[in-house]
Amino acid sequence: MSETDVALRGLTKRFGDMVAVDNIDLDIPRGGFFALLGPSGCGKTTTLRMIGGFEEPTAGTIELAGKEITQQPPHKRDVNTVFQSYALFPHMTVAENVAFGLERKRVDKAERKQRVAEALDLVELGPLASRRPAQMSGGQQQRVALARALVNRPRALLLDEPLGALDLRLRKQLQLELSQIQRDVGITFIHVTHDQEEAMTMADTIAVMRDGRIDQLGTATELYEHPRTAFVANFLGNSNLVDAEVISSSGRYAEVDADGGARLKVPANAVAAAQSPQIRIGVRPEKMTLEAGNGQQLDGDSNALLGRIVDAAYIGLATQYVVHTEGGADLQIFVQNSSSRTSGLDEGDRVVARWDPEHTFVVEREEQHAG
Amino acid sequence: MSSGGEATAPRGKPGGWLTLRRRNALLPLALVVPGLLWLVIFYAIPIVSQLWISLQTGNPDDGFAQSWNWAVYPDSISEYSEQLLRSLQYAGTATVACFIIGFPLAYFMAFKAGRWRNLFLLLVVLPFFTSLIVRTVAWQTILTDDSWIVGALKTVGLIPPDGRLLATSFAVIAGITYNFLPFMVLPLYASLERMDRTLVEAATDLYASRWTAFRKITLPLAGPGIFAGVLLTFIPAIGDYINAQLLGTSQQYMIGNVIQSQYLVVREYPTAAALSFIMMVVVLAIIAAAARLIGTKRLSEAAVA
């Protein structure tokens, strides 16, 4: 669709026996907010450091704006990094920190001064230009680090967990500011984070990484509504996953056998992508409803599973149920407390858990030890 | 407001004068007293007495009497200007040599030595486990005319066939460099070791070459360590007399040798005291100049923006 800014081809990094990044192919589109999301040790930071030039790939290539930069040292690359620790130069003022890159690029003094002032205004730190980093709060230091990188107008900006050291409130605020700034400047942002909410709030495209590979690539909505692996389904929010076997596929829905004999409907296109009839199907806890009953008539347009409530926890905006199904699965179900009346359901009650077949997604079955 | 609280604080009780507030005020004083006493008795009083002695006249047999002979200062300087200048020159050269050898070593230990770091630290301080005299005498045997080092250097033609190492200024400077190297390496290591290496990555990320990153980031941040290392090397080096005595001849004597011989051999106490005093003032002036230099550089850096 759009132009590719950073392209990774077969990118691999090994540290001794450990494979940190395993043969990644990735196209990062120009001008977007791209997130590399994954748990610690998944290889996301190593990937970012290879793009920045701080780690040399064991194999594979990196292209920036169509030109290969794999062997270029960091100072020759048209990318800038916002480090997790900010890495502000303690012996320089804020303005000197921000001017550092422009000085190296021999930008003349008048322009330098103006661009530094603009960058500091962008992050609303103009009045603090003559302070030292040690005299500033964590949030302010984070903004200086951002201004110091953005002032160079790089082709791509690399952000390594830039909000990780801040408290929750400030993090939320800076998430919104960062997306705003990204839209204003139009530079490609590549953001590394382990926080799924942060990635979903800010990024246009998210690559979920696990064990050095990219599990799934997509928008926040795609990843949440149609996760393709159990890992993605559980890393982004909660999921109920049960093993299933495809019985027939005709028209809009495929029919599967799940949870020890129940017949459920699954969107046919989701099943088509699976490589074997042995699959796992999933549904998000908030997509399900509960009703009392033993399911005399289970026919109808919705999917339904019978079970018994084993746990009910009132958590304010919702009540969180755990339903033990007849097939032996434990389902999590969130029921919103939208009216003052509670559902009247309680532990021990026999219930029918229902959901719209459209909300059913399919993930590959994998060996237990993976993930 | 708090004074009202104080007024009602328990008093009148025996020993009540030592309130918590008073105790907190006295504590820093208690900490500083031993050191202060030591300095007064063994430093301040001797300095004053040195100054007093330096102005006396007389001879060792009949004794010395105070005569406020200020002329001793210009006289000593003009008589021993050669040794004074040589001391500055030797100590300065040795300090530069220590820095040139010590900085890469400290850099290596701080960033590249990994798990061998502590072994290298031990090796750096290991010479301290033997006495200065023993170490310097060992150098004497290494540099002596029929040693294999001198032979090897003659073979490859680095020194002429009749040349020698012992009893030259090279030997004295080399000895000082060797003896004071740890004083340079340790502060340099301490300042480099606590440096955040991400700062260098950040500099290269901002288009600085490795050399520029070193010049703009590593070197300035090692500044306090460099300052400490230079002072710790230069100050003892300028007053050193062991190296000149054991590795040199009277042609290489430094001001320390002169002071020692004036005190212990000639027993010309006023001259010895005056020379000690002159040396102290020279060292203080150099420290002040160095501190000023580094201080103003920091200030001008801050003013650039």
Side-chain angles (χ1 to χ4, degrees), chain B residues 199-223:
Chain B
L199 295 177
V200 172
E201 282 190 353
T204 60
D205 185 67
L206 295 162
Y207 319 114
S209 63
R210 286 177 71 117
W211 166 243
T212 310
F214 175 78
R215 211 163 41 84
K216 290 275 175 183
I217 308 299
T218 310
L219 213 53
L221 289 178

Side-chain angles (χ1 to χ4, degrees), chain A residues 49 54 74-75 77 79-81 83 87-91 96 101 104-105 132 148 152, chain B residues 196 198-199 201-209 212 216-217 220-221 301-302 304-305:
Chain A
R49 287 175 60 80
F54 307 118
H75 69 273
R77 298 186 183 201
V79 296
N80 289 114
T81 307
F83 293 88
L88 299 178
F89 306 132
H91 56 303
E96 285 167 346
R104 302 284 83 70
K105 284 211 284 195
R132 299 268 167 149
R148 186 177 69 173
N152 306 297
Chain B
D196 178 7
T198 322
L199 295 177
E201 282 190 353
T204 60
D205 185 67
L206 295 162
Y207 319 114
S209 63
T212 310
K216 290 275 175 183
I217 308 299
L221 289 178
E301 269 175 7
V304 165

